[in-house]
Amino acid sequence: MKSLIVANWKMNPATLKEAIKLYEETKKASLAAKNVSVVVAPPAIFLRDLAAATRGAKVPLAAQNVHFENAGSYTGDISIPQVADAKAAYVIVGHAERRALGETNEEVGKKVAAVLEAKLTPIFCIGEKTRTPAGEHFVFVKEQLRAGLQHVSPAKIGKVIIAYEPVWAIGAAQPMSPRDMHEMSIFIRKAIVEKYGDLGMNITVLYGGSVDAASAPLMLRDGDVKGLLVGRASVDAKTFTELLIAASKK
Ligand code: PEP
């Protein structure tokens, strides 16, 4: 099965011209890397143009955030119907950088449900800020899972992608070890199975946090994950191409 690699461009690049160039180069790299499928999450302002930019095969697009209401007085926000109309098929929900700005577990839960309701795919981000030897991070992650999935029915749980991104490993010097990720993957699956039964066994879990071309294949091989969420390494075409090729050879 192909690994899923999500490119989170965050608030980059500065211009549409650069965004189209990076998108085209990402597409070329994703076609060359046979064992990976790629999703690009650009700033929302570029979604519609990128969807129209390429001919032939497309690299699916994700929004980086949405509001859970379909319309209303929410200055500066973007709705799910709007991102769907701009041809995004995925939505990143609950990214650590949104949570750091005040997004709550409850809001994340509403967003996950609203994205599913619109028949888009949520990439639901979880991850603790710090780790202690006492293992409190497991309690923290379990609560994020409970709240984030509280409105998700068994019929829809299979459509949720979970991206585990420990906050301390985002924008860091190195990723978490594949061994620790493996432990966390088992924990996440167990938590989902507790609520949804065997349906939880096939849940898609991604790892995110400072992945590069060297760490990507190791994480895919030993981390018990179905893919990766990549930030900084996805906004430079050469760096991301190297990562995709390395990931494809895991
Ligand atoms: C992210 O923002 O989701 C992320 C994983 O960032 P980075 O790869 O830069 O750590």
Side-chain angles (χ1 to χ4, degrees):
M1 203 173 120
K2 288 188 175 191
S3 306
L4 174 65
I5 315 279
V6 181
N8 176 15
W9 290 0
K10 310 194 186 206
M11 203 170 69
N12 306 289
T15 65
L16 176 61
K17 195 170 164 202
E18 290 167 282
I20 290 175
K21 186 159 182 281
L22 178 58
Y23 185 66
E24 293 288 358
E25 286 170 349
T26 297
K27 178 179 159 183
K28 208 190 303 164
S30 80
L31 292 174
K34 295 282 174 232
N35 297 319
V36 300
S37 52
V38 179
V39 170
V40 169
I45 196 163
F46 297 140
L47 279 172
R48 188 180 302 277
D49 287 294
L50 293 186
T54 50
R55 288 170 199 278
K58 302 264 187 231
V59 174
L61 293 163
Q64 295 177 9
N65 184 34
V66 286
H67 200 282
F68 51 80
E69 294 289 0
N70 279 345
S73 303
Y74 302 105
T75 303
D77 267 311
I78 295 168
S79 75
I80 295 166
Q82 288 163 351
V83 301
D85 187 57
K87 303 285 181 286
Y90 297 77
V91 181
I92 296 176
V93 176
H95 190 277
E97 288 154 12
R98 302 304 315 174
R99 292 180 188 264
L101 293 173
E103 188 174 64
T104 65
N105 268 347
E106 297 305 310
E107 286 164 342
V108 171
K110 288 183 188 170
K111 290 183 184 192
V112 169
V115 170
L116 286 169
E117 188 61 32
K119 302 209 166 14
L120 304 187
T121 302
I123 301 169
F124 164 38
C125 300
I126 54 171
E128 76 282 357
K129 294 194 196 89
T130 52
R131 285 200 164 194
T132 60
E136 285 151 47
H137 52 281
F138 287 114
V139 179
F140 188 89
V141 164
K142 195 159 185 186
E143 174 55 17
Q144 286 185 325
L145 284 168
R146 186 204 61 76
L149 299 175
Q150 64 182 308
H151 308 296
V152 178
S153 66
K156 291 201 174 143
I157 187 64
K159 309 235 180 304
V160 178
I161 294 173
I162 295 180
Y164 172 71
E165 300 202 294
V167 178
W168 49 270
I170 298 176
Q174 53 190 25
M176 186 167 84
S177 74
R179 191 194 165 99
D180 286 344
M181 183 61 226
H182 193 131
E183 181 188 39
M184 184 52 81
S185 288
I186 292 170
F187 178 80
I188 292 168
R189 261 201 313 278
K190 199 160 156 267
I192 311 277
V193 167
E194 268 174 29
K195 180 170 174 196
Y196 294 96
D198 284 353
L199 290 169
M201 289 305 288
N202 290 323
I203 195 86
T204 298
V205 178
L206 312 181
Y207 167 78
S210 300
V211 175
D212 59 14
S215 56
L218 303 177
M219 191 57 89
L220 290 172
R221 201 186 59 204
D222 300 329
D224 191 14
V225 290
K226 293 187 184 166
L228 304 166
L229 180 47
V230 182
R232 288 158 298 158
S234 71
V235 289
D236 175 77
K238 185 166 170 288
T239 307
F240 196 51
T241 300
E242 284 165 9
L243 190 156
L244 292 182
I245 306 264
S248 192
K249 290 187 187 143
K250 65 143 179 180

mmCIF file of all heavy atoms in Angstrom, residues 13 59 82 119 139 159 166 180 222:
data_model
loop_
_atom_site.group_PDB
_atom_site.id
_atom_site.type_symbol
_atom_site.label_atom_id
_atom_site.label_comp_id
_atom_site.label_asym_id
_atom_site.label_seq_id
_atom_site.Cartn_x
_atom_site.Cartn_y
_atom_site.Cartn_z
ATOM 1 N N PRO A 13 4.196 29.742 -0.026
ATOM 2 C CA PRO A 13 5.161 30.820 -0.253
ATOM 3 C C PRO A 13 4.442 32.167 -0.330
ATOM 4 O O PRO A 13 3.228 32.240 -0.121
ATOM 5 C CB PRO A 13 5.755 30.428 -1.606
ATOM 6 C CG PRO A 13 4.617 29.744 -2.318
ATOM 7 C CD PRO A 13 3.795 29.066 -1.256
ATOM 8 N N VAL A 59 -2.498 16.502 -7.919
ATOM 9 C CA VAL A 59 -2.142 16.168 -6.543
ATOM 10 C C VAL A 59 -3.283 16.730 -5.686
ATOM 11 O O VAL A 59 -3.546 17.937 -5.734
ATOM 12 C CB VAL A 59 -0.800 16.821 -6.143
ATOM 13 C CG1 VAL A 59 -0.514 16.590 -4.669
ATOM 14 C CG2 VAL A 59 0.330 16.266 -6.999
ATOM 15 N N GLN A 82 -16.764 26.599 1.281
ATOM 16 C CA GLN A 82 -15.829 27.405 0.467
ATOM 17 C C GLN A 82 -14.603 26.583 0.058
ATOM 18 O O GLN A 82 -14.178 26.640 -1.097
ATOM 19 C CB GLN A 82 -15.405 28.663 1.241
ATOM 20 C CG GLN A 82 -16.516 29.697 1.343
ATOM 21 C CD GLN A 82 -16.279 30.736 2.433
ATOM 22 O OE1 GLN A 82 -15.369 30.615 3.247
ATOM 23 N NE2 GLN A 82 -17.115 31.761 2.452
ATOM 24 N N LYS A 119 -18.413 15.467 3.452
ATOM 25 C CA LYS A 119 -17.779 14.409 2.643
ATOM 26 C C LYS A 119 -16.351 14.760 2.230
ATOM 27 O O LYS A 119 -15.854 14.330 1.181
ATOM 28 C CB LYS A 119 -18.637 14.042 1.433
ATOM 29 C CG LYS A 119 -20.034 13.562 1.821
ATOM 30 C CD LYS A 119 -20.585 12.592 0.826
ATOM 31 C CE LYS A 119 -21.799 11.811 1.267
ATOM 32 N NZ LYS A 119 -22.531 12.222 2.447
ATOM 33 N N VAL A 139 -2.298 10.294 28.611
ATOM 34 C CA VAL A 139 -3.597 10.792 29.095
ATOM 35 C C VAL A 139 -4.031 11.992 28.245
ATOM 36 O O VAL A 139 -5.190 12.119 27.838
ATOM 37 C CB VAL A 139 -3.478 11.219 30.588
ATOM 38 C CG1 VAL A 139 -4.811 11.749 31.102
ATOM 39 C CG2 VAL A 139 -2.977 10.062 31.435
ATOM 40 N N LYS A 159 -13.001 7.084 7.825
ATOM 41 C CA LYS A 159 -12.654 8.180 6.905
ATOM 42 C C LYS A 159 -11.726 9.201 7.568
ATOM 43 O O LYS A 159 -11.283 10.145 6.918
ATOM 44 C CB LYS A 159 -13.926 8.912 6.458
ATOM 45 C CG LYS A 159 -15.020 8.029 5.936
ATOM 46 C CD LYS A 159 -15.438 8.484 4.546
ATOM 47 C CE LYS A 159 -16.534 7.662 3.939
ATOM 48 N NZ LYS A 159 -16.260 6.245 3.846
ATOM 49 N N PRO A 166 3.786 15.292 17.928
ATOM 50 C CA PRO A 166 4.157 15.829 19.240
ATOM 51 C C PRO A 166 4.671 17.258 19.061
ATOM 52 O O PRO A 166 5.518 17.512 18.204
ATOM 53 C CB PRO A 166 5.263 14.877 19.708
ATOM 54 C CG PRO A 166 5.772 14.194 18.491
ATOM 55 C CD PRO A 166 4.670 14.193 17.485
ATOM 56 N N ASP A 180 9.475 5.156 19.461
ATOM 57 C CA ASP A 180 8.468 5.842 20.284
ATOM 58 C C ASP A 180 7.172 6.053 19.501
ATOM 59 O O ASP A 180 6.079 6.036 20.064
ATOM 60 C CB ASP A 180 9.006 7.190 20.787
ATOM 61 C CG ASP A 180 10.022 7.005 21.893
ATOM 62 O OD1 ASP A 180 10.082 5.899 22.467
ATOM 63 O OD2 ASP A 180 10.779 7.956 22.187
ATOM 64 N N ASP A 222 9.599 1.651 10.520
ATOM 65 C CA ASP A 222 9.584 1.175 11.914
ATOM 66 C C ASP A 222 8.591 1.893 12.826
ATOM 67 O O ASP A 222 8.464 1.534 13.990
ATOM 68 C CB ASP A 222 10.982 1.310 12.532
ATOM 69 C CG ASP A 222 12.008 0.499 11.771
ATOM 70 O OD1 ASP A 222 11.630 -0.554 11.213
ATOM 71 O OD2 ASP A 222 13.181 0.899 11.712
#
